[in-house]
Amino acid sequence: MLRLWRWYQNCLATHPVKTQMISSGLIWGFGDIAAQSITHLTLKGHRQFPALLGFVDPLEIVETRWIDERKELRINWKRVAATSLFGFGFVGPVGHFWYEGLDRFIRHRLKFQPNSARFVGTKVALDGIIFGPLDLLVFFSYMGFANGKTTPQIKESVKRDFLPALVLEGGIWPIVQVANFRYVPVRNQLLYVNFFCLLDSCFLSWLEQQEDAPWKQWIISHFGSKEKTS
């Protein structure tokens, strides 16, 4: 494991952008496999949940469970490839230049003391205000096109999912990034983030599965623009 880490660090020093692109593509692809597996399990649980509460006829309960047991997980490899390409083509290169540029900007333009509270806090704030929303917007738009959705369908999906995802992730990512910006060297910060994106992929897959859930509507109504006041 140590030899693998040293090999990775050597590749990162020699070909930083290519290494970030390849590692991001692999991690995001693996993350989508995990997301599909978890979504499959939660969908089975969701179908059986009403039956457990007694809302379904007993014969239908038996039939539903029999059908669920027959259904096996089938990985959508086209989606895995699309997600991996997102990591390779967007997260890898954009993330590399973002973290490198953010560090240079705060060190040399703002002249904050490295690892100070102001240094870390400013990084976390700028990352949450700029890169976080951009990443979500590109992800939802790209995956919509990759899955064959039309432009109006993608707009509706973004309108439905973007703000709930941004609000919920806004409570988690700042904590993750405080540790990242405080303790992780700049060249390894994207790798650190990508491993947390394994969990994030599962969350985004679950979020899409929720469709027009009431809690999404509540978030949109409380945090969205008040454009329907008239």
Side-chain angles (χ1 to χ4, degrees), residues 181-192:
F181 295 137
R182 176 64 179 83
Y183 300 108
V184 180
V186 176
R187 68 177 185 175
N188 292 325
Q189 286 176 358
L190 180 59
L191 179 66
Y192 170 92

Side-chain angles (χ1 to χ4, degrees), residues 153-167:
Q153 289 175 325
I154 293 172
K155 288 181 179 179
E156 285 300 314
S157 297
V158 171
K159 183 179 178 181
R160 181 192 67 193
D161 294 336
F162 175 77
L163 189 58
L166 186 65
V167 170

Side-chain angles (χ1 to χ4, degrees), residues 62-78:
V62 175
E63 182 180 358
T64 301
R65 287 179 177 173
W66 182 72
I67 292 173
D68 285 337
E69 288 175 359
R70 290 183 58 192
K71 285 190 175 182
E72 296 180 357
L73 171 63
R74 293 184 178 180
I75 297 297
N76 183 344
W77 293 107
K78 181 180 178 181

Side-chain angles (χ1 to χ4, degrees), residues 36-107:
Q36 291 188 46
S37 302
I38 292 175
T39 300
H40 175 75
L41 294 174
T42 55
L43 279 174
K44 288 178 66 177
H46 177 72
R47 285 193 293 267
Q48 294 180 4
F49 184 66
L52 295 175
L53 294 180
F55 296 153
V56 182
D57 183 82
L59 293 177
E60 190 174 342
I61 296 174
V62 175
E63 182 180 358
T64 301
R65 287 179 177 173
W66 182 72
I67 292 173
D68 285 337
E69 288 175 359
R70 290 183 58 192
K71 285 190 175 182
E72 296 180 357
L73 171 63
R74 293 184 178 180
I75 297 297
N76 183 344
W77 293 107
K78 181 180 178 181
R79 194 182 109 168
V80 173
T83 308
S84 181
L85 187 60
F86 173 76
F88 178 85
F90 177 78
V91 177
V94 176
H96 170 79
F97 289 112
W98 167 253
Y99 289 118
E100 292 282 349
L102 182 64
D103 188 74
R104 284 195 299 269
F105 174 75
I106 296 177
R107 283 176 184 267

